[in-house]
Amino acid sequence: MVDRRATAVGLTSGRRGPGGWALATYHACDLVCWIATLNLLWIGFTLLGGGLLGAAPATVAAHTLARRRIRGEAVPAVREFWRVWRAEFVRANVLLLPPGVVGGLLWLNWLRFGASADAAGAAVAGVVLLAAAITAAWYAVLVPLYVHYDLPLRAYAVTASRFVLANPGPAALLLVVAVGIAAVTAAVPGLLPFLSVGVWVHLDTALCLSFFHRNDELVTDERRGSR
């Protein structure tokens, strides 16, 4: 796979004095503001695309900006979000709209069968919930994979599936993060317009970049060992 990444930015560690804590606080506040901006941009451009059709390119744009931020690049948020959203509108919908619809249908069916009092309904609800969890974990890998690697469009779904099957631990962690954010949002609905989506995008991107980097290292080591 061809990596779309920019040059990595080196980080140096140092002791934390009063100035260090002030700098850390500044960076924390800056990150919260960035996540809130990402969240509002995602909502705004989703609505701009009519809701369903706007969500997929908005998700790709948000992950693209998050990836660039994590890589240490300066990101002009609004202008770059608009550029990516417009450029990826068709491809993002082709790639992400079908699994998004499937995930939504699975969720609705789980709500329906989960309310059933009989054993058969409970069993169906369990199967549907498992399918929804696998779909969510796969989706959480698919979007960062799309913004991180340059592959034929038809190859992303298969590659994401292979990654999830070969790395159940990381996939489970991505699912736990998504479920945790959803649970907190359900308890505090006021977070949704300001932070929830942005937090998920940022954490999903950061974790997947780490997983992909480790996977690339393993593949490189295997190729060297086979020579």
Side-chain angles (χ1 to χ4, degrees):
M1 292 185 287
V2 179
D3 190 349
R4 296 183 183 180
R5 293 175 294 179
T7 304
V9 177
L11 300 177
T12 58
S13 59
R15 294 182 179 178
R16 286 270 178 88
W21 286 112
L23 186 61
T25 302
Y26 168 79
H27 284 307
C29 293
D30 182 59
L31 180 60
V32 171
C33 291
W34 160 254
I35 287 173
T37 300
L38 210 59
N39 198 96
L40 292 172
L41 286 172
W42 185 89
I43 293 173
F45 279 87
T46 295
L47 295 175
L48 180 64
L52 189 62
L53 291 178
T59 302
V60 168
H63 277 79
T64 300
L65 266 64
R67 172 181 170 273
R68 290 183 59 184
R69 166 98 177 190
I70 292 166
R71 300 298 298 175
E73 297 180 45
V75 183
V78 177
R79 184 179 65 190
E80 190 64 11
F81 202 104
W82 162 247
R83 185 192 68 80
V84 176
W85 185 88
R86 184 178 56 181
E88 298 287 349
F89 191 90
V90 175
R91 282 171 57 89
N93 274 299
V94 170
L95 181 66
L96 301 180
L97 185 57
V101 171
V102 169
L105 291 175
L106 287 170
W107 177 252
L108 291 175
N109 276 280
W110 179 77
L111 292 177
R112 175 190 173 187
F113 290 106
S116 178
D118 59 279
V124 173
V127 172
V128 171
L129 182 61
L130 177 61
I134 294 173
T135 302
W138 174 79
Y139 192 91
V141 171
L142 179 63
V143 185
L145 187 77
Y146 178 70
V147 304
H148 191 59
Y149 293 106
D150 189 8
L151 301 173
L153 188 62
R154 63 182 180 277
Y156 286 105
V158 175
T159 305
S161 300
R162 290 175 177 172
F163 183 89
V164 170
L165 292 174
N167 301 275
L173 178 57
L174 294 174
L175 181 61
V176 168
V177 168
V179 171
I181 293 171
V184 172
T185 303
V188 188
L191 293 176
L192 182 60
F194 303 104
L195 293 175
S196 298
V197 176
V199 168
W200 174 72
V201 167
H202 190 84
L203 290 179
D204 185 49
T205 305
L207 288 170
C208 282
L209 289 183
S210 175
F211 298 152
F212 296 160
H213 178 66
R214 178 57 179 163
N215 185 72
D216 289 343
E217 288 182 335
L218 292 174
V219 171
T220 301
D221 291 342
E222 288 178 0
R223 289 175 177 172
R224 288 174 179 172
S226 63
R227 291 178 182 175

